[in-house]
Amino acid sequence: MNPSSQPSYNEAARQGLANPCLQRSLHGLQAHYGKGALALWRTLPDPTLRSRVKARRMQTLAHLDLVLEQLADGIRARGGQVFFAATEAEANEYVRDLACKRGVRRVVKGKSMLSAEIGIDAALAADGVEVVETDLGEYIVQMAGSTASHIIAPCIHMDRQQIGRLFAKHLHIPYTDDPPTLTRAARKALRQHLLTADMGLTGCNFACAETGQITLVSNEGNIRMATTMPRLHVALMGMERIVATLDDQRDLLQLLTQAAALQKLSTYVSCVGGPSPAGDLDGPEEFHLVIIDNGRSRILADPEFREVLACIRCGACLNICPVYGRIGGHAYGSPYSGPIGAVVTPLLSGINLHADLCKGETLCGACRDVCPVANDLPRMLAALRHKLAYGDPGWHVRPQNRLEAFGFKLWRKIVGSKKCYESFLKFFRALQRPFIGPQGMIGRLPGFGGGWTGGRDLPPLASSSFRERWRQVHSKNRTDCAGTETEEQRHGG
Amino acid sequence: MADNQPLFLNRIRAALGDGDKERIAWEELAAPIDDSAVLQKLTIRSWEEQRLLLRQLVDTAGPLHLEVHICASLIEAASCIIAIARDSTPEFGSSKEIVIHDHPLLRALQLESLLVEAAIRTHLTRSNDPEVRQHTVNASIGITAAAWGIAESATIVQLTRPGQPRSTSLVPSIHIAVLELANLVATLAEAYALIRQEPDLESLVLISGPSKTADIEGTMVHGAHGPRAMHLLILTIEPVVDKKA
């Protein structure tokens, strides 16, 4: 998650807005999945489900040490191995070391955002290991040298013609833009990889402490392939992605598949958690679970943000967010995009570094309404803005814009005094006159005022304030108050 | 590599702070669930109710492209499978081969001898047979026996057992699952109550239809990496004695 090599938030957002294919796809996605999920929550047979699950998530997080210990014991009892990685470097080193020791030449990946967070592809590639994404969308963006722009629809920014040209070039097939034909071509190419890889590398939707297994969901079957056919299975797990019991897993599973894709269940839900026993005919010889902190314990320690660890990465907030719905995922400069990305990316990799994200969101509250675990993302976005405005040594945040802070301090002084405020109005009414266009709007301001008018017209200050108008028009009516109400009063309230 | 676990968990404990009065013991956090009421409900469900569940399953299966075949006898099930096998064309190889879970219900179908007549080779996934993987990769059809079915989501529960590997329902182009109607339950919650009764489960998978993707412009395509078609055969043979007594 190093944004230095990426275009800025503004630049990437502009590119997203200018991509007609992305605009079309985002519109379709949001109209179907975002609205669909909201409708689902309204008709839940058990209306308390989401709040109950959320409470249980928070309770589990409050016992995280306990449940992780239980999980690790369960997996080791089944012959699996567990590695606790404090940082992405530790996680990468463990997997590289394992790949090296076991002579791994090819790794097939199941879709995992955590793998992108820790940058494991590059780490393995540096050792000469071939890393192949197997989720169709991830495969396409890998082929294009791009990154995923949606949690569950990674190549939503590409159209079928682009994908057709890509496949013609890389898979050496005749050009076609027919999705079934393209899918079959990828199926054929990836089957070879899936059947011959030495290691399957997946994420983890949830681990279950009670059973000592992890749950993986997919519709394509690539994750089942990657966890069944190679001799090694390595699962990367964010330390918060854990439930205590199988019953908790069921609740969360049903919320996940409904929120993500309006499905009662995904096509495949696998529960695995160890090497296959002797005598079994397939499944991995070794199973490794890498439990990763990488900044999560700091979030856990802060009561203001702990809630965000309840997230199950369903992507529903992307499917409803009016900002994500226009600018797309790449603007967020992180594997985690949309409202959840705008909260979790700064917390994981630097609030100042990703200052644009929380400011870009509108705080409209749609993400909170659609979230299956009712995470209050707008509250956390506002909290991040607060930190950026005033600084926070605890999170190593420095005030982002001292000039702006000074401006607001000044504003506080101005609005605190009637005399100051009225002279301010008088002054700016005079100042704005040359900028008011024929439509009665301010279309362009000079200097940094231009930031306010870059994307929209600004209404000018009214020629007289409410107080002034009241004085001029209504003050004489005040004597009538005891008697009958005047026309103006009835309308004016 | 060093054992990071104590350090890692200590960091979490520090993050949680010691002031949390809400802390409870693991035994309380994961208090066992009493499944007896659910299991009792399953034992007394009548054959008519099972048939209603079947209707629900058929309705749900349609949009998932899961083809349901209702078979009143073993012979009917066997001929249904043979018809599917005859009509299919191998996707990756040239020969028609079928891998079959080594399961009593599937052995009772006597597919081996029937398919020999149709010039289709079959392989049982016998434990310790080193060639099972190769057979599975070559096969165009995999046949499994499902432990349970779930009506509300048109799902089968496939437990991994000796002689019943995971890849049979995954690697061949066509997956045929056989389920006895008596083992059809209504909800995921009921299925979980049954799963909890299975000790030492190595792994399991819930399957709801053929593999699919909508990653290219949202167009739904069946057959991404798993089977491109899935058939579910429901055996509606009423148990002579009470099925779960």
Side-chain angles (χ1 to χ4, degrees):
Chain A
M1 293 210 285
N2 174 16
S4 61
S5 57
Q6 291 162 347
S8 69
Y9 179 80
N10 283 345
E11 179 50 35
R14 258 193 290 277
Q15 287 171 10
L17 285 163
N19 178 345
C21 155
L22 178 71
Q23 293 301 318
R24 205 169 48 238
S25 305
L26 287 173
H27 180 77
L29 180 93
Q30 293 206 326
H32 182 58
Y33 291 106
K35 295 212 171 89
L38 277 181
L40 260 179
W41 303 151
R42 278 195 290 271
T43 56
L44 272 183
D46 170 9
T48 66
L49 177 69
R50 288 161 73 211
S51 53
R52 195 161 44 78
V53 168
K54 172 63 168 291
R56 184 67 174 162
R57 281 292 283 151
M58 295 313 289
Q59 188 190 28
T60 308
L61 287 171
H63 296 80
L64 193 57
D65 53 328
L66 216 61
V67 285
L68 284 174
E69 207 163 19
Q70 199 71 30
L71 172 75
D73 289 350
I75 286 184
R76 290 186 183 122
R78 211 181 283 104
Q81 297 179 52
V82 182
F83 179 73
F84 286 87
T87 61
E88 57 185 44
E90 280 183 24
N92 285 337
E93 197 187 326
Y94 180 80
V95 180
R96 281 173 74 170
D97 189 54
L98 181 71
C100 177
K101 276 189 189 143
R102 301 293 187 274
V104 169
R105 284 173 318 236
R106 180 181 281 163
V107 173
V108 280
K109 281 180 71 190
K111 190 171 164 31
S112 156
M113 276 169 293
L114 179 54
S115 78
E117 177 191 321
I118 67 174
I120 200 161
D121 295 18
L124 285 167
D127 294 341
V129 178
E130 185 190 5
V131 181
V132 184
E133 291 283 357
T134 61
D135 174 87
L136 179 60
E138 293 280 356
Y139 180 60
I140 291 167
V141 296
Q142 187 186 37
M143 201 183 271
S146 173
T147 53
S149 70
H150 186 279
I151 292 181
I152 61 162
C155 65
I156 191 171
H157 55 286
M158 296 171 75
D159 62 25
R160 60 179 79 194
Q161 288 80 16
Q162 279 171 288
I163 297 167
R165 283 193 294 275
L166 205 60
F167 277 26
K169 184 174 159 206
H170 291 269
L171 296 181
H172 313 294
I173 59 164
Y175 171 83
T176 170
D177 60 10
D178 176 46
T181 313
L182 290 168
T183 303
R184 271 196 297 278
R187 170 179 171 87
K188 211 173 135 202
L190 282 169
R191 186 177 166 94
Q192 278 319 306
H193 291 300
L194 287 162
L195 294 179
T196 56
D198 310 291
M199 179 192 281
L201 184 63
T202 70
C204 164
N205 290 103
F206 328 105
C208 176
E210 184 186 41
T211 62
Q213 287 182 325
I214 63 165
T215 301
L216 291 163
V217 304
S218 91
N219 284 318
E220 297 188 359
N222 61 316
I223 289 180
R224 282 190 72 201
M225 281 279 204
T227 58
T228 302
M229 304 315 278
R231 57 192 160 89
L232 293 164
H233 174 199
V234 177
L236 307 172
M237 169 191 159
M239 68 177 200
E240 80 284 11
R241 304 293 288 279
I242 186 166
V243 297
T245 68
L246 196 59
D247 229 43
D248 298 339
Q249 184 257 30
R250 176 172 57 84
D251 282 339
L252 225 46
L253 175 64
Q254 293 199 294
L255 285 179
L256 172 68
T257 59
Q258 292 186 87
L262 313 178
Q263 289 177 296
K264 280 191 184 133
L265 273 182
S266 303
T267 305
Y268 301 113
V269 179
S270 338
C271 300
V272 297
S276 69
D280 262 26
L281 305 171
D282 57 21
E285 294 161 19
E286 285 182 45
F287 172 79
H288 298 256
L289 180 66
V290 184
I291 302 174
I292 299 169
D293 183 327
N294 206 29
R296 286 161 175 77
S297 51
R298 193 156 63 151
I299 302 176
L300 185 70
D302 190 334
E304 201 164 24
F305 295 113
R306 181 183 290 186
E307 180 183 18
V308 83
L309 295 176
C311 169
I312 54 174
R313 304 285 190 265
C314 66
C317 56
L318 281 62
N319 298 343
I320 203 84
C321 175
V323 179
Y324 174 89
R326 301 300 179 283
I327 66 176
H330 283 154
Y332 294 80
S334 149
Y336 309 111
S337 56
I340 180 64
V343 173
V344 94
T345 301
L347 292 177
L348 287 177
S349 56
I351 297 174
N352 281 110
L353 196 62
H354 295 277
D356 289 332
L357 301 191
C358 66
K359 297 184 167 188
E361 299 295 309
T362 61
L363 309 186
C364 70
C367 50
R368 180 187 50 217
D369 296 341
V370 83
C371 177
V373 291
N375 267 349
D376 196 344
L377 291 169
R379 181 187 59 75
M380 290 184 269
L381 288 166
L384 284 169
R385 289 187 188 182
H386 189 273
K387 290 199 191 317
L388 282 166
Y390 299 104
D392 182 343
W395 279 94
H396 307 293
V397 185
R398 45 179 205 286
Q400 205 221 354
N401 190 338
R402 290 186 190 278
L403 194 65
E404 187 186 77
F406 174 74
F408 275 107
K409 232 176 232 161
L410 201 65
W411 178 244
R412 191 158 62 192
K413 285 242 160 26
I414 292 168
V415 294
S417 138
K418 188 178 145 196
K419 219 168 117 195
C420 261
Y421 183 63
E422 283 181 349
S423 0
F424 167 85
L425 288 181
K426 225 173 258 163
F427 177 65
F428 273 92
R429 262 182 223 129
L431 205 63
Q432 72 181 358
R433 217 164 285 146
F435 300 102
I436 301 176
Q439 321 283 267
M441 298 290 275
I442 299 176
R444 179 181 282 182
L445 281 174
F448 58 52
W452 292 66
T453 51
R456 61 202 185 290
D457 289 343
L458 210 60
L461 294 176
S463 54
S464 55
S465 74
F466 178 76
R467 290 169 72 102
E468 286 160 350
R469 268 192 292 163
W470 183 267
R471 267 200 303 270
Q472 287 156 14
V473 182
H474 300 289
S475 56
K476 60 180 185 296
N477 295 337
R478 291 180 101 178
T479 47
D480 304 338
C481 277
T484 52
E485 216 178 14
T486 65
E487 193 66 22
E488 283 87 351
Q489 274 175 326
R490 230 175 291 136
H491 285 155
Chain B
M1 206 168 269
D3 182 14
N4 294 340
Q5 181 170 342
L7 250 165
F8 191 100
L9 295 180
N10 277 339
R11 209 171 18 249
I12 290 177
R13 283 182 201 115
L16 292 173
D18 352 286
D20 201 341
K21 301 271 190 299
E22 311 282 290
R23 291 273 289 193
I24 52 175
W26 164 254
E27 287 71 23
E28 203 182 328
L29 189 68
I33 288 175
D34 183 10
D35 286 315
S36 56
V38 177
L39 296 173
Q40 175 66 19
K41 192 168 78 186
L42 295 184
T43 56
I44 59 169
R45 199 169 270 157
S46 72
W47 194 246
E48 285 66 40
E49 284 171 302
Q50 290 297 113
R51 287 216 166 256
L52 285 177
L53 289 183
L54 175 57
R55 198 176 302 164
Q56 189 191 355
L57 176 119
V58 171
D59 290 345
T60 316
L64 300 176
H65 276 227
L66 168 61
E67 288 188 47
V68 182
H69 308 263
I70 298 164
C71 306
S73 68
L74 287 177
I75 296 168
E76 208 177 301
S79 45
C80 177
I81 289 173
I82 288 162
I84 294 169
R86 273 186 209 276
D87 293 346
S88 69
T89 43
E91 184 184 357
F92 296 108
S94 54
S95 66
K96 273 190 198 177
E97 292 186 34
I98 300 182
V99 277
I100 305 172
H101 265 181
D102 189 9
H103 185 280
L105 177 66
L106 301 181
R107 280 201 299 270
L109 293 175
Q110 299 183 311
L111 290 169
E112 221 156 328
S113 55
L114 293 168
L115 284 163
V116 163
E117 289 166 30
I120 299 172
R121 279 204 289 166
T122 60
H123 307 278
L124 273 188
T125 54
R126 286 201 182 86
S127 263
N128 296 315
D129 176 355
E131 291 191 26
V132 163
R133 184 188 167 105
Q134 198 50 51
H135 290 320
T136 306
V137 171
N138 292 344
S140 55
I141 299 178
I143 306 179
T144 67
W148 303 287
I150 304 167
E152 68 171 355
S153 53
T155 302
I156 63 158
V157 183
Q158 195 73 56
L159 308 179
T160 311
R161 291 270 185 239
Q164 293 158 41
R166 311 179 197 179
S167 53
T168 316
S169 61
L170 176 67
V171 175
S173 304
I174 299 172
H175 173 209
I176 303 175
V178 183
L179 174 75
E180 291 181 82
L181 182 56
N183 293 331
L184 181 62
V185 300
T187 61
L188 188 65
E190 290 182 3
Y192 269 44
L194 290 163
I195 289 169
R196 268 191 285 270
Q197 308 309 307
E198 296 289 320
D200 310 321
L201 256 184
E202 183 235 315
S203 75
L204 70 90
V205 59
L206 312 176
I207 305 176
S208 313
S211 147
K212 64 187 177 191
T213 182
D215 275 350
I216 302 178
E217 284 194 8
T219 310
M220 183 63 74
V221 180
H222 288 89
H225 300 296
R228 58 183 179 182
M230 179 176 171
H231 299 268
L232 177 57
L233 270 60
I234 310 273
L235 272 173
T236 56
I237 306 171
E238 191 169 356
V240 183
V241 282
D242 192 308
K243 49 174 182 167
K244 290 151 199 156

